[in-house]
Amino acid sequence: MKIISKIADMQKFSTALRRKGRSIAVVPTMGCLHEGHLMLIDTAKKHADSVIVTLFVNPTQFGPKEDFSKYPRQLEKDLALCRKRGATAVFTPSPDEMYSKDASTWVEEVQLSRGLCGKSRPGHFRGVTTVVAKLFNATLPDVAVFGKKDYQQAKVIQRMTRDLNFPVRIILQETVREKEGLAMSSRNSYLSPDRRIAALSIRRSLESAKSAIRNGEKNAGRIRKSVSDGISSSGGRIDYVEIVDADNLEPVAKLTGNILIAVAAFFDKTRLIDNIEIKYW
Ligand code: PAF
């Protein structure tokens, strides 16, 4: 497995692969890899001949009061995991390599990014779309794989890819969960054992909401309240509970069509997100 830290070297490596007729899938990550990321690598392998994993904690997607400096980092372990899972290369640039001191260009999606996490984390998606565009330009992939836990992020990236004509096919993978149902996330490592148990209320509340809708509940306000109450009563502090159209992410009043219930909640200082899709039946 090749380990590359310079953009020019990454581009050369990818260009050489492409000249040999090998297709490339990229799995963008911020490292601290868990089984969810490793399953993205498995998916990537099914869609391309070579897989490049990017490990880069992107400073521009963190707000000033967020956990950029504390974000968990474990480079050596991540490299070993990528090697074991069969990645062709890992791209691990430094912040200075990715961003010139006087960088003044951003990539910004302005519609799908507005609500949900975009509301509580201003500038977050601008950082995500900018870095993903830069990672596409560095790794030159045919395919990119993202997880549906970050559903809004995945939709925003799909839109950016289409709007800017990147020749990259975006593949979305179902959320990978721990045995008890908690969505896998690098931030789960911040949770104490009792907060981890309390955080299971997110999944439980979303599953109950889905059952209620399937059983005929039509009132979005009641569903939002039941999800909120389920999480708050376990000690979670709600950032948002929203019911949106699964395609355009606009809030819905009527519970028909393909909808998404999306949640962000704090357990102590750890902000967790999760969602559940409910397809029209
Ligand atoms: O989902 C993530 O880990 C990050 O937001 C991403 C897509 C790697 C961009 O930094």
Side-chain angles (χ1 to χ4, degrees):
M1 184 182 78
K2 190 97 178 149
I3 300 165
I4 301 173
S5 58
K6 297 287 174 206
I7 293 168
D9 293 341
M10 187 67 253
Q11 289 167 330
K12 260 189 229 148
F13 184 81
S14 289
T15 303
L17 285 176
R18 298 178 77 90
R19 286 215 179 102
K20 284 190 219 147
R22 289 176 64 107
S23 56
I24 299 171
V26 68
V27 179
T29 81
M30 297 207 298
C32 195
L33 302 182
H34 49 65
E35 189 57 27
H37 293 115
L38 301 178
M39 289 180 73
L40 297 178
I41 300 179
D42 295 344
T43 300
K45 278 165 45 182
K46 291 190 191 129
H47 290 273
D49 305 317
S50 351
V51 175
I52 299 169
V53 180
T54 72
L55 303 176
F56 179 62
V57 185
N58 173 36
T60 65
Q61 69 188 74
F62 289 80
K65 293 196 181 131
E66 292 182 353
D67 56 345
F68 171 66
S69 55
K70 280 201 260 128
Y71 196 83
R73 288 162 172 88
Q74 47 166 48
L75 182 61
E76 288 310 316
K77 188 170 171 204
D78 287 346
L79 292 175
L81 288 168
C82 290
R83 190 173 290 116
K84 192 154 170 226
R85 213 62 170 220
T88 315
V90 167
F91 180 49
T92 171
S94 67
D96 287 349
E97 175 68 9
M98 284 299 276
Y99 293 103
S100 307
K101 287 266 175 299
D102 59 350
S104 53
T105 305
W106 293 96
V107 174
E108 187 167 21
E109 191 287 329
V110 297
Q111 180 104 26
L112 302 171
S113 311
R114 279 182 316 186
L116 306 175
C117 290
K119 215 185 256 172
S120 26
R121 302 185 70 190
H124 168 68
F125 286 116
R126 185 174 84 150
V128 169
T129 40
T130 301
V131 82
V132 170
K134 288 165 73 62
L135 292 169
F136 284 178
N137 284 334
T139 57
L140 310 175
D142 301 282
V143 172
V145 191
F146 296 90
K148 280 197 191 173
K149 178 182 75 75
D150 299 292
Y151 189 95
Q152 184 180 21
Q153 165 174 284
K155 283 283 174 190
V156 167
I157 290 169
Q158 263 181 336
R159 177 69 61 89
M160 173 203 76
T161 305
R162 184 202 72 183
D163 288 352
L164 297 185
N165 309 110
F166 280 105
V168 179
R169 190 156 56 91
I170 305 294
I171 292 169
L172 303 188
Q173 172 157 306
E174 293 307 320
T175 303
V176 181
R177 298 182 179 281
E178 292 176 7
K179 214 166 58 242
E180 303 81 11
L182 188 63
M184 285 195 185
S185 160
S186 305
R187 289 191 170 98
N188 292 352
S189 65
Y190 299 146
L191 294 169
S192 64
D194 67 316
R195 295 295 81 198
R196 185 176 281 264
I197 291 169
L200 298 177
S201 59
I202 300 180
R203 190 66 196 159
R204 228 175 17 243
S205 308
L206 288 172
E207 289 287 2
S208 317
K210 184 170 181 167
S211 303
I213 294 170
R214 287 271 187 248
N215 289 330
E217 176 61 85
K218 296 229 173 346
N219 184 308
R222 262 201 305 264
I223 291 289
R224 275 212 313 275
K225 181 165 173 357
S226 75
V227 173
S228 256
D229 289 350
I231 297 169
S232 309
S233 64
S234 298
R237 182 164 55 81
I238 301 294
D239 179 358
Y240 65 75
V241 174
E242 294 279 1
I243 308 182
V244 296
D245 178 293
D247 287 320
N248 63 25
L249 306 186
E250 291 295 328
V252 293
K254 266 191 167 170
L255 300 179
T256 57
N258 295 340
I259 60 174
L260 180 87
I261 311 179
V263 167
F266 288 89
F267 285 81
D268 289 338
K269 286 190 178 143
T270 307
R271 184 175 180 277
L272 300 177
I273 59 171
D274 202 350
N275 63 73
I276 198 162
E277 284 177 89
I278 302 167
K279 301 234 161 82
Y280 184 68
W281 68 97

